[in-house]
Amino acid sequence: MLSIIIPTLNEKENLERLLSLLKEQMEEGDEIIIVDGYSKDGTAEVAIRHGARVIFQKPQGIGLAKTEGAKHAKNDVFLFLDADCIPSKDFLRRVKQHFKDRDVHAVGGLDLYESDSVVWKFMYDVYSRGVFHSAALLHAITGKYWIPANNAAYKKSLFFSVNGFRSVICEDTDMMHRLPPSKNVKYDHNLVLILSDRRFKEKGFFRTLAIWLLSNLSILLGKGISGKGYRKT
């Protein structure tokens, strides 16, 4: 069974779509936990109407919101999603299938993007596929594993072994930096989420990549750039 954890801040329309899609795939025992930063657009009401649990937390960064949700989860597998994603039709089934192997303790999927521009969508997807396959190759060679924080499933014991996500930009890289190498991780390119391109529209594609690059370098140097007030999702 899965505990699906989604951080939100004024996500009414996106959350309505996502929860409707997830409910079609959920089984008895699965749960959805929304960690909401006191939205003003009715996000919490949408979540409650769809049967999700809502935890309120003053915005302190996406990483800490996800960790707060995990603290309230009842299941042994945490699945982290963003509110603006569209999961593939067999998404939850594929996650569960991986964890039927008791040795597996983390699973990462592939993020793709929707965009009004065919050209930009192509660029976003080429970038995202490159990151995914590079991470899978790094894992195969070294055992270290980067899993996209908005398309990640972790066993509870592993997640809390490092106290969960921290409030830094690129909390997924920070998690990789703190977790020890392991071969018990699965990368599934068919575990697809379609994300909106708002991440890139807000600051521009190349500027956003530069911010992520600087944050990644800072993390690898043992620091990290605070994620408070940064909207990666």
Side-chain angles (χ1 to χ4, degrees), residues 109-227:
L110 172 64
D111 291 341
L112 298 177
Y113 290 89
E114 58 182 353
S115 175
D116 296 333
S117 167
V118 175
V119 174
W120 280 113
K121 173 177 170 51
F122 175 77
M123 291 186 65
Y124 300 153
D125 287 352
V126 167
Y127 161 75
S128 194
R129 288 182 188 277
V131 170
F132 175 86
H133 290 294
S134 296
L137 179 61
L138 175 69
H139 174 246
I141 295 172
T142 70
K144 293 292 285 182
Y145 50 99
W146 177 91
I147 298 176
N150 52 16
N151 191 349
Y154 290 94
K155 279 190 175 177
K156 179 179 182 178
S157 56
L158 176 68
F159 185 78
F160 283 123
S161 70
V162 291
N163 298 316
F165 291 119
R166 299 193 305 159
S167 181
V168 294
I169 299 174
C170 299
E171 68 272 21
D172 34 29
T173 301
D174 182 61
M175 181 68 88
M176 178 188 74
H177 186 60
R178 291 182 292 128
L179 284 170
S182 172
K183 293 299 183 182
N184 298 322
V185 176
K186 297 295 183 181
Y187 284 86
D188 185 350
H189 68 274
N190 290 313
L191 194 63
V192 175
L193 290 180
I194 305 297
L195 300 166
S196 75
D197 62 352
R198 64 183 182 183
R199 295 156 187 76
F200 301 129
K201 282 184 172 180
E202 184 175 311
K203 292 183 173 66
F205 180 55
F206 295 107
R207 185 182 176 195
T208 299
L209 296 189
I211 292 171
W212 292 351
L213 175 61
L214 289 173
S215 182
N216 286 331
L217 290 174
S218 180
I219 288 166
L220 296 177
L221 291 172
K223 298 178 182 180
I225 300 173
S226 173

Side-chain angles (χ1 to χ4, degrees), residues 7-34:
T8 59
L9 181 61
N10 298 322
E11 297 279 8
K12 178 181 178 180
E13 293 183 7
N14 286 325
L15 194 64
E16 182 77 58
R17 179 180 65 178
L18 175 57
L19 296 187
S20 295
L21 294 172
L22 288 176
K23 285 175 68 175
E24 296 174 359
Q25 301 185 32
M26 291 174 66
E27 299 175 325
E28 184 177 355
D30 293 333
E31 65 172 348
I32 297 176
I33 299 174
I34 303 298

